Amino acid sequence: MKNTLKAELHQAFHNRFFYISFFLMLAFSVFGVFFMELPRESGFDLWRQYRFDENGAPLTTLFLPATGLYCKWLGGDAGQFTTAAFYFLVFLVCTVPFSWSLVSEKQSGYESHMVLSSGKPAYYISKYFASFLSGAFVIIVPLLTNFILSACFVPAFRPEPYADLYYGVPVTYLWSSLYVTHPLLYVLLYILLAGVMAGMWATVGVSLAFLVQNRFVVMILPYLLLLFFHVMWSHFAGSILNLQIQLSPFYFIIPRAIEYTNSGWVILVWIAVILLFDLLVYWRKGLCSDVL
């Protein structure tokens, strides 16, 4: 099992699809730093001039917290083009690095060799782990990179409750209480959430490889299905049902609310649905008893 997992991880992180996906998202994260509305000098000028009064007491300035790191990094500034592009590509890019591998190995006959040499449980579980980790990696690392680089250009003003108008984080939003008490933890949790959801969605491509024999369909179809759901929910179902909760993963992985608030229960349901789909595919192919 250990050697099989090591081989799958090496393959997942050393192929041209992984490199294309990773550097594309990294480019968005780096460009997002240069597209910030507030340059470094202006940010520190505001900090020096308005953070404290002449007696050294903190000033209650509505605009100041909105110029800080937690509003200006990629996940905090929903008005940036790079933010919109990055988060709308998350569920496409995560399936690209490795979801195609099982289809290719089926076509080449390498799957049969691996099943004979390693056994079905070790081979398929390793494939799933490698797909999950590669999908999560291409999202988590660029987000962390953007946050760290952004911290080099704007001060990390702690969000203030009185300036919540600028934050787009309502009290009903997941982990919202952390935003004003432990904003760094809040950001890290949402980066982790984006990575986990991307990794889970990457495994859908591996499951589709048992049903579809075209690697480009395996890479793109999960994204198209999710995009269809997003459009239907955002433009039709959400308003018709009058539900003020975000069901679309495109939006609920973003650290600030867009259209609706989000819910931890919705996220758990999405994860459960993905796992159920994976298990159903395995059961249909008669693989559950071997793997489990």
Side-chain angles (χ1 to χ4, degrees), residues 120-177:
K120 286 184 179 180
Y123 175 60
Y124 291 119
I125 291 176
S126 298
K127 185 74 70 179
Y128 262 71
F129 269 111
S131 182
F132 175 88
L133 292 175
S134 61
F137 184 91
V138 298
I139 304 304
I140 289 177
V141 172
L143 284 174
L144 283 174
T145 300
N146 177 270
F147 185 75
I148 293 170
L149 290 178
S150 298
C152 297
F153 289 88
V154 291
F157 294 134
R158 186 170 180 168
E160 302 287 356
Y162 60 75
D164 58 349
L165 175 67
Y166 293 100
Y167 302 146
V169 182
V171 294
T172 55
Y173 210 61
L174 182 64
W175 304 317
S176 61
S177 61

Side-chain angles (χ1 to χ4, degrees), residues 181-193:
T181 58
H182 299 88
L184 178 59
L185 177 59
Y186 177 86
V187 168
L188 294 178
L189 284 173
Y190 267 94
I191 291 176
L192 179 62
L193 173 61

Side-chain angles (χ1 to χ4, degrees), residues 58-72:
L59 284 172
T60 302
T61 306
L62 283 176
F63 178 70
L64 187 60
T67 64
L69 172 64
Y70 300 106
C71 278
K72 289 300 179 181

Side-chain angles (χ1 to χ4, degrees), residues 55-112:
N55 298 318
L59 284 172
T60 302
T61 306
L62 283 176
F63 178 70
L64 187 60
T67 64
L69 172 64
Y70 300 106
C71 278
K72 289 300 179 181
W73 79 287
L74 187 70
D77 190 355
Q80 280 195 57
F81 163 75
T82 48
T83 299
F86 186 95
Y87 281 100
F88 265 93
L89 285 174
V90 163
F91 294 100
L92 172 62
V93 169
C94 68
T95 62
V96 172
F98 204 52
S99 62
W100 52 269
S101 65
L102 186 56
V103 171
S104 296
E105 290 171 10
K106 279 176 172 289
Q107 294 173 346
S108 66
Y110 184 72
E111 177 202 24
S112 300

Side-chain angles (χ1 to χ4, degrees), residues 20 25 33 38 205 219 246 271:
I20 291 172
M25 300 306 271
V33 177
L38 191 69
M219 288 190 287
Q246 186 57 256
I271 292 174

